[in-house]
Amino acid sequence: MSVQTTPAAAPAVRRIAAQASFEARAILRNGEQLLVTIVLPVLVLVGLVRTSFVDLDTQGYTRIDFVTPGVLALAIMSTAFTSQAIATAFDRRNGVLRLLATTPLGRTGLLAGKVLGVLAVEVVQVIVIAGVALALGWRPELGALPAVVGAGLLGTAAFTALALLLAGTLRAEGVLAVANLVLVLLTVGGGVLLPAAQLAGPLAHVAVLLPSGALGEAMRGALLHGSVPAFSVVILLGWTAALGAGAARLFRWH
């Protein structure tokens, strides 16, 4: 008589890696998300470098050197915040989060997979945007890479926490509207593409305290000066802690 055994679950690392791969492919295969994560930052980069409809104070740097850090920050925002918030909200509405949370993957594995999926998409974004920037004459210092990676990780943490807070508390349709609106507002007046000091009126004082302004300054500091400003690090860590605590407390899985 044969004895049937239940297959053992895959190791945790393999489960998380499989979920991360799924999350990344889901974003890159979605036409709307691809537009936001890849096409929009590239269009902004080319538009700001090749046209003069926006008057920029480049602080003595070439236009491409000054613009590229902000575009990379915008790319991080679009994936870690907008794409993640929308995808998670619809997964929650459709019962996917509740289902996956009961599998061997678990809630922790699911969240880890989502974060790693975001990082994988960001790697693709950096490759594409950097390739376009290099074609436009960008010549970054390779020594700035560690600072750039650090700034990117800080920004990813803050905006992923914001994404999960929205996705876990609002209805999916509301998240879709709010996430896109917030991305537009932060892009225009959040200190991402331009330093907060160059924004008009009260925005110059407000943007520097926002996660968008801190991320923009962190990327510019890393690529233009080789180091991330300490103030930007403090702001990003503060937002990550506050938003992460809010998401942990208020997130609803169904």
Side-chain angles (χ1 to χ4, degrees):
M1 183 178 69
S2 62
V3 178
Q4 293 184 346
T5 59
T6 302
V13 173
R14 189 180 302 173
R15 296 196 299 266
I16 293 172
Q19 183 63 29
S21 176
F22 171 80
E23 297 284 347
R25 285 185 283 109
I27 293 175
L28 294 175
R29 288 178 178 176
N30 185 299
E32 294 180 1
Q33 298 303 323
L34 193 63
L35 177 66
V36 173
T37 58
I38 302 293
V39 178
L40 177 61
V42 169
L43 289 178
V44 170
L45 176 66
V46 175
L48 290 177
V49 172
R50 289 303 191 192
T51 63
S52 57
F53 66 92
V54 176
D55 186 21
L56 296 179
D57 177 8
T58 62
Q59 302 174 355
Y61 297 98
T62 64
R63 203 172 177 95
I64 184 63
D65 287 342
F66 185 76
V67 167
T68 301
V71 174
L72 290 172
L74 173 62
I76 291 172
M77 283 173 46
S78 67
T79 299
F81 171 54
T82 309
S83 293
Q84 189 58 250
I86 294 171
T88 304
F90 279 93
D91 282 349
R92 173 172 163 255
R93 188 192 70 174
N94 296 331
V96 175
L97 292 186
R98 180 172 55 183
L99 176 63
L100 289 176
T102 62
T103 67
L105 181 66
R107 294 183 176 184
T108 301
L110 176 59
L111 293 176
K114 284 185 171 295
V115 172
L116 291 176
V118 165
L119 292 174
V121 174
E122 289 177 355
V123 170
V124 176
Q125 288 177 297
V126 169
I127 292 173
V128 173
I129 293 171
V132 174
L134 288 170
L136 294 174
W138 185 46
R139 297 295 180 266
E141 292 290 339
L142 294 180
L145 183 59
V148 172
V149 172
L153 290 175
L154 287 171
T156 298
F159 281 102
T160 299
L162 177 57
L164 293 177
L165 178 60
L166 286 181
T169 55
L170 302 180
R171 295 182 54 159
E173 293 77 10
V175 173
L176 179 63
V178 171
N180 283 308
L181 177 60
V182 170
L183 179 65
V184 171
L185 293 177
L186 292 181
T187 300
V188 173
V192 181
L193 297 174
L194 297 177
Q198 294 189 22
L199 299 177
L203 287 178
H205 304 286
V206 174
V208 72
L209 299 175
L210 297 176
S212 55
L215 177 57
E217 287 302 312
M219 295 300 288
R220 278 185 288 272
L223 284 168
L224 298 178
H225 309 295
S227 63
V228 178
F231 184 74
S232 298
V233 173
V234 172
I235 294 296
L236 288 172
L237 288 176
W239 277 106
T240 300
L243 295 170
R249 181 180 179 84
L250 302 174
F251 193 93
R252 299 192 300 270
W253 291 84
H254 54 81

